[in-house]
C-alpha cells in the first residue's frame, strides 16, 4: 500500500515549468517558459548581460506556434535585439514592443522555424484552406510591414530554412506524404536569384536533418544514411559527402517540432554537438581533425536546442537529480552556470529515484531498452510487506520518440510512495539507431505491445515487482499501447491511458495533416482486417482489469471520442473503468489544476489496485 510522500500532486503540477528555445546574442539571452500555473501560457524571458532577468511577454500574450500542431520555436531575435513571436490565439507574427505590432495578416496562417535576416524574417508558413487542405511554403516577411514573398512552394512539408553567408542560396529540408521526417527527407537548395532548386542529399529512405552552412559552398547536416543520425559535410551540389565523426550514436532527435538545433557552428569553427544513445551528451567536435571531446558538465542530457554567443554555449540541460535548466557553458574556462531551473526547490534528494539502464529480452529476439526507477523503502519499516514492490510500466508517446532520464517529479511522486517505475523504450523508439526505430514499421500494436508486456514479465521474473501488482500507463500513442496491452495480456493489474488512441480508422480520418499518413507506416495501408487485429476498440473483449482514461476535450490530434468510445465499451462489458474529461485541455495537459486532478486520480487508482 503506497504511503505518504513529501512530494504532492501540487508539487508535480507546478514543476511542469517547461524551459525551451534559448537564443544568445551580444551577451544577452532569451528563452521561453511554459507556465502551468498560468493556464499553460508560454512567455519569453530576457536575461541582460548584467544578469538581470525579466519577462518580455505579459499575459494574455502567449508565444506558441501551431504549425504541424506540435509547433516548435515560437520566436526569433533580430540582429538589433528585436523580438518577433507567434501569438497562440491568432497565430499571427508580432514585433514585440511596448505593445506588440502585427507583421502578418489575420488570415489564419501559421508560422514556424523563424530565421532573422537583414530587415526580414524567413520562415515556414502553413495555410489551412477549405475541406482540410493544407499548404506550406518558405516565405520571407519584411520587418517594415511590406508584402510577404514566397520562395519555395509545392512540397507537403518544409523545415530548417538556412541562408548562405552571402545570401545567395537558401537551404532547407522537405518531405512529402506519406513519409514522416524520420522516414525520408531531402536537403534541397534554392538559388534565390533565379529560383532554380536541386536536391543535395536524402530521399525516401534517408532522414536528413538540420542543415547549417559552413561557408558559401559547403554545408553541415545530420543524416541517418549509415543507420545512425550522424554529422556530415557536403558541397552544395552534393558532389562530395564526408562523415565528420562516424559512430553508432545519434546526433539528433526526431523532427516533431520545428526550430531546434542539435548542433551549431561556434565562432572558432568547431561544432558544438549533442550525441549519444538514449540521452544526448554535449561535446565539441573539430570537423577538420575529427576529434570529439565531451564537456565536463553536471548535466547528463540535453534537449536539441543549442545557442552560442562567442565562446559561450547555451542549452537546456538535465539530469536524473538535477533540474532541467537553462545552462551557459564557457568553452574556454569550462565554467558552467545554471541560469534558470524548471524546479525552483527540489525535495530531499533521497526522494529522487536513481535510474538504471536495463535491457530485458523482448519477445522477438532482441533486447528492449528501458530505465528502471526503483521504489523507495518505507521510511520506518523498509518494504511494507517484506517482498517485491508494486510497479508501473511507463509507455512513452510518439511512438517515434524516446524516454530519457530527465528529472521527473511525476516518477518521484510514485517511487517515493513505494511504487517502482519502469520506463520502456520499446522497439520503434528513437535514440538507438534506425534499425531499432524501424522495428515498428508495419508492426504498431504488435512490437510495442509485446515489448511492453515482456518488460513487465521481466520485472516479475527478476523478483523486482510483485506479479499481482504491475500496472501500465501511457500518453497518446503510448495510450494506444496501454489499451492494446490490456486487451492482449493479463500481466497488468490495471491500465491508465492519457488521450490514447483506440481505433485506427477514425484516427486516420480525423487527425491533423502532419500525422495523417503516419498510420500507413506504422500499421500499413488501411486494411479492415489488419486494423481490427491491432486496435484496442476491436479487441476490447480481452480487457478484464480496471482502467482509468483521461482526455482533453480540445484535442486536435486524438479526438476525445477515441477515449470515450473505449470507456463506453468497457462499461458495457462490466469492466471497471473511470473516464475523466477536461475542458480546455488539448493534446498534453498544460494547466496546473488539470495536472493536479489527473495525478490525484491516477494515484487513487493505483492505491485501489495495489491494496
Amino acid at each position: 500500500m503506497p504511503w505518504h510522500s513529501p512530494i504532492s500532486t501540487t508539487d508535480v503540477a507546478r514543476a511542469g515549468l517547461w524551459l525551451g528555445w534559448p537564443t544568445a546574442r551580444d551577451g544577452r539571452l532569451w528563452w521561453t517558459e511554459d507556465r502551468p500555473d498560468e493556464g499553460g501560457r508560454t512567455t519569453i524571458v530576457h536575461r541582460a548581460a548584467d544578469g538581470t532577468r525579466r519577462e518580455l511577454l505579459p499575459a494574455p500574450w502567449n508565444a506558441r506556434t501551431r504549425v504541424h500542431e506540435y509547433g516548435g520555436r515560437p520566436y526569433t531575435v533580430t540582429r538589433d535585439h528585436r523580438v518577433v513571436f507567434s501569438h497562440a490565439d491568432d497565430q499571427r507574427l508580432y514585433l514585440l514592443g511596448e505593445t506588440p505590432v502585427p507583421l502578418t495578416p489575420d488570415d489564419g496562417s501559421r508560422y514556424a522555424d523563424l530565421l532573422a535576416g537583414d530587415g526580414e524574417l524567413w520562415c515556414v508558413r502553413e495555410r489551412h484552406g477549405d475541406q482540410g487542405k493544407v499548404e506550406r511554403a518558405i516565405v520571407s516577411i519584411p520587418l517594415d510591414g511590406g508584402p510577404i514573398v514566397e520562395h519555395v512552394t509545392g512540397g507537403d512539408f518544409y523545415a530548417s530554412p538556412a541562408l548562405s553567408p552571402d545570401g545567395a542560396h537558401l537551404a532547407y529540408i522537405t518531405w512529402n506524404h506519406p513519409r514522416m521526417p524520420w522516414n525520408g527527407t531531402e536537403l534541397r537548395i534554392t538559388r534565390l536569384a533565379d529560383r532554380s532548386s536541386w536536391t543535395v542529399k536524402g530521399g525516401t529512405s534517408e532522414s536528413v536533418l538540420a542543415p547549417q552552412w559552413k561557408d558559401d559552398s559547403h554545408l553541415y547536416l545530420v543524416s541517418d544514411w549509415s543507420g545512425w543520425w550522424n554529422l556530415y559535410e557536403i558541397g552544395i551540389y552534393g558532389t562530395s559527402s564526408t562523415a565528420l565523426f562516424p559512430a553508432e550514436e545519434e546526433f539528433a532527435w526526431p523532427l516533431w517540432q520545428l526550430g531546434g538545433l542539435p548542433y551549431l557552428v561556434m565562432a572558432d569553427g568547431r561544432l558544438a554537438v549533442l550525441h549519444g544513445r538514449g540521452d544526448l551528451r554535449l561535446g565539441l567536435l573539430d570537423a577538420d581533425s575529427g576529434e570529439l571531446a565531451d564537456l565536463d558538465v553536471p548535466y547528463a542530457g540535453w534537449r536539441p536546442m543549442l545557442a552560442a554567443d562567442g565562446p559561450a554555449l547555451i542549452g537546456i540541460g538535465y539530469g536524473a537529480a538535477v533540474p532541467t535548466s537553462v545552462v551557459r557553458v564557457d568553452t574556454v574556462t569550462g565554467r558552467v552556470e545554471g541560469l534558470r531551473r524548471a524546479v525552483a526547490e527540489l525535495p530531499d534528494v533521497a526522494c529522487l529515484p536513481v535510474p538504471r539502464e536495463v535491457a530485458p529480452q523482448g519477445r522477438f529476439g532482441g533486447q528492449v531498452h528501458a530505465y528502471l526507477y526503483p521504489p523507495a523503502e518505507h521510511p520506518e519499516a523498509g518494504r511494507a510487506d517484506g517482498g517485491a514492490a508494486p510497479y508501473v510500466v511507463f509507455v512513452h508517446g510518439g511512438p517515434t520518440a524516446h524516454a530519457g532520464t530527465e528529472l521527473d517529479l511525476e516518477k518521484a511522486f510514485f517511487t517515493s510512495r513505494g511504487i517502482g517505475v519502469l520506463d520502456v523504450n520499446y522497439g520503434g523508439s528513437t535514440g538507438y539507431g534506425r534499425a531499432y526505430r524501424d522495428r515498428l514499421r508495419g508492426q504498431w500494436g504488435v512490437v510495442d505491445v509485446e515489448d511492453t508486456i515482456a518488460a513487465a514479465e521481466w520485472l516479475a521474473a527478476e523478483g523486482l515487482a510483485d506479479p499481482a501488482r504491475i500496472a501500465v500507463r501511457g500518453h497518446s500513442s503510448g495510450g494506444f499501447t496501454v489499451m492494446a496491452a490490456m486487451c492482449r495480456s493479463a500481466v497488468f493489474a490495471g491500465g491508465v491511458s492519457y488521450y490514447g488512441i483506440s481505433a485506427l480508422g477514425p484516427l486516420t480520418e480525423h487527425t491533423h495533416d502532419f500525422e495523417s499518413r503516419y498510420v500507413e507506416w506504422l500499421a500499413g495501408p488501411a486494411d479492415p482486417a489488419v486494423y481490427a487485429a491491432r486496435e484496442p476498440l476491436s479487441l476490447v473483449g480481452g480487457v478484464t482489469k480496471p482502467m482509468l482514461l483521461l482526455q482533453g476535450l480540445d484535442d486536435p490530434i486524438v479526438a476525445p471520442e477515441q477515449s470515450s468510445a473505449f470507456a463506453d465499451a468497457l462499461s458495457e462489458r462490466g469492466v471497471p473503468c473511470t473516464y475523466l474529461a477536461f475542458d480546455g485541455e488539448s493534446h498534453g495537459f498544460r494547466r496546473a489544476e488539470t495536472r493536479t486532478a489527473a495525478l490525484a486520480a491516477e494515484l487513487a487508482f493505483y492505491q485501489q489496485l495495489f491494496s
Side-chain angles (χ1 to χ4, degrees):
M1 184 72 179
W3 49 78
H4 175 74
S5 163
I7 303 173
S8 69
T9 55
T10 302
D11 292 333
V12 177
R14 289 178 176 171
L17 180 69
W18 196 88
L19 304 171
W21 314 115
T23 299
R25 197 181 295 273
D26 303 324
R28 307 181 184 188
L29 302 178
W30 297 259
W31 63 82
T32 60
E33 296 184 2
D34 292 12
R35 297 177 172 176
D37 57 355
E38 295 184 31
R41 186 179 73 90
T42 302
T43 188
I44 300 170
V45 174
H46 172 256
R47 188 180 191 273
D50 63 4
T52 304
R53 189 176 72 207
R54 67 186 181 95
E55 179 182 351
L56 296 182
L57 207 60
W61 294 99
N62 189 355
R64 191 178 310 149
T65 171
R66 289 186 58 193
V67 171
H68 298 178
E69 295 298 347
Y70 293 108
R73 180 187 294 271
Y75 79 102
T76 190
V77 179
T78 67
R79 293 172 185 174
D80 57 356
H81 307 148
R82 291 185 290 172
V83 174
V84 176
F85 70 96
S86 169
H87 181 45
D89 288 356
D90 58 15
Q91 290 298 290
R92 300 173 76 183
L93 293 181
Y94 288 81
L95 182 64
L96 185 61
E98 289 187 12
T99 300
V101 177
L103 293 177
T104 55
D106 188 11
D107 61 2
S109 295
R110 307 173 183 183
Y111 305 87
D113 248 346
L114 308 179
L115 173 68
D118 289 328
E120 61 188 0
L121 299 176
W122 294 73
C123 61
V124 174
R125 182 185 65 192
E126 179 179 281
R127 282 179 163 174
H128 293 248
D130 296 335
Q131 299 179 337
K133 184 179 181 181
V134 181
E135 295 180 341
R136 298 179 181 87
I138 297 179
V139 304
S140 60
I141 304 171
L143 292 174
D144 62 5
I148 297 174
V149 179
E150 291 185 347
H151 296 276
V152 181
T153 62
D156 289 336
F157 301 97
Y158 297 103
S160 307
L163 283 171
S164 60
D166 62 6
H169 295 95
L170 175 70
Y172 53 92
I173 298 298
T174 184
W175 68 100
N176 293 318
H177 285 305
R179 287 174 286 155
M180 299 297 286
W182 41 86
N183 304 144
T185 62
E186 296 179 11
L187 166 60
R188 289 182 61 82
I189 290 180
T190 292
R191 184 184 293 114
L192 295 176
D194 60 11
R195 301 293 177 89
S196 59
S197 300
W198 59 92
T199 297
V200 177
K201 189 169 175 56
T204 58
S205 58
E206 178 184 3
S207 174
V208 179
L209 304 171
Q212 296 190 49
W213 291 90
K214 177 183 179 182
D215 53 42
D216 289 329
S217 57
H218 297 86
L219 300 103
Y220 298 117
L221 59 92
V222 174
S223 167
D224 69 353
W225 176 82
S226 69
W228 298 80
W229 272 316
N230 278 191
L231 272 167
Y232 294 81
E233 179 184 324
I234 196 167
I236 62 172
Y237 297 106
T239 54
S240 61
S241 174
T242 304
L244 300 183
F245 190 83
E248 292 188 350
E249 292 185 331
E250 306 281 40
F251 283 72
W253 280 5
L255 192 64
W256 282 102
Q257 294 184 301
L258 300 182
L261 286 175
Y263 73 95
L264 51 77
V265 184
M266 300 289 290
D268 61 7
R270 290 182 297 173
L271 301 181
V273 302
L274 301 177
H275 70 107
R277 292 191 178 198
D279 295 321
L280 301 182
R281 306 184 305 277
L282 178 63
L284 291 174
L285 172 64
D286 187 317
D288 295 325
S289 68
E291 294 182 1
L292 173 57
D294 287 342
L295 295 175
D296 184 13
V297 294
Y299 301 92
W302 297 77
R303 293 176 182 163
M305 43 184 73
L306 296 174
D309 186 19
L313 268 175
I314 297 88
I316 309 297
Y318 62 82
V322 181
T324 300
S325 304
V326 178
V327 182
R328 180 166 55 196
V329 182
D330 189 317
T331 59
V332 174
T333 66
R335 183 185 180 192
V336 180
E337 297 177 88
L339 305 177
R340 175 68 160 155
R341 307 198 318 175
V343 181
E345 294 185 13
L346 280 179
D348 188 334
V349 70
C351 296
L352 302 178
V354 178
R356 175 165 63 93
E357 191 167 4
V358 297
Q361 191 68 22
R363 293 187 171 190
F364 295 97
Q367 291 182 322
V368 180
H369 296 283
Y371 293 106
L372 180 74
Y373 296 80
E377 293 192 346
H378 192 283
E380 297 178 359
R383 284 250 53 82
D385 54 8
Y391 261 81
V392 179
V393 177
F394 279 40
V395 185
H396 67 71
T400 309
H402 174 77
T405 61
E406 189 167 351
L407 173 65
D408 182 358
L409 284 190
E410 193 170 63
K411 292 187 178 75
F413 177 82
F414 294 120
T415 59
S416 63
R417 287 171 167 81
I419 302 172
V421 170
L422 183 67
D423 211 353
V424 178
N425 282 307
Y426 47 81
S429 301
T430 59
Y432 306 100
R434 177 145 191 161
Y436 195 77
R437 199 165 76 235
D438 282 351
R439 284 183 56 197
L440 206 57
R441 183 174 187 175
Q443 297 297 311
W444 192 34
V446 179
V447 167
D448 53 319
V449 173
E450 294 297 330
D451 281 358
T452 301
I453 294 170
E457 292 175 337
W458 174 84
L459 281 173
E462 292 291 312
L464 297 168
D466 180 344
R469 296 190 295 167
I470 302 176
V472 61
R473 60 103 77 170
H475 297 69
S476 189
S477 70
F480 168 86
T481 303
V482 166
M483 294 182 201
M486 293 294 294
C487 293
R488 291 175 175 270
S489 174
V491 69
F492 298 110
V496 178
S497 167
Y498 283 79
Y499 33 91
I501 300 155
S502 65
L504 299 181
L507 176 68
T508 61
E509 294 170 4
H510 300 296
T511 195
H512 60 129
D513 182 63
F514 177 64
E515 293 183 275
S516 62
R517 306 285 296 277
Y518 191 16
V519 173
E520 292 182 27
W521 186 87
L522 290 169
D527 182 326
V530 172
Y531 283 12
R534 306 279 184 85
E535 61 187 16
L537 195 57
S538 297
L539 304 173
V540 68
V543 182
T544 60
K545 305 292 179 60
M547 293 200 67
L548 170 64
L549 309 178
L550 305 100
Q551 177 70 48
L553 293 179
D554 292 343
D555 193 331
I557 296 171
V558 176
E561 290 77 15
Q562 292 275 357
S563 290
S564 62
F566 197 71
D568 290 343
L570 291 176
S571 297
E572 290 173 4
R573 288 161 175 78
V575 178
C577 175
T578 299
Y579 172 57
L580 299 179
F582 298 93
D583 285 321
E585 288 288 4
S586 182
H587 199 69
F589 298 159
R590 302 179 68 89
R591 298 173 176 171
E593 58 268 27
T594 304
R595 292 162 58 88
T596 298
L599 192 58
E602 190 175 354
L603 177 62
F605 179 76
Y606 297 143
Q607 287 174 326
Q608 187 172 10
L609 271 184
F610 298 152
S611 60

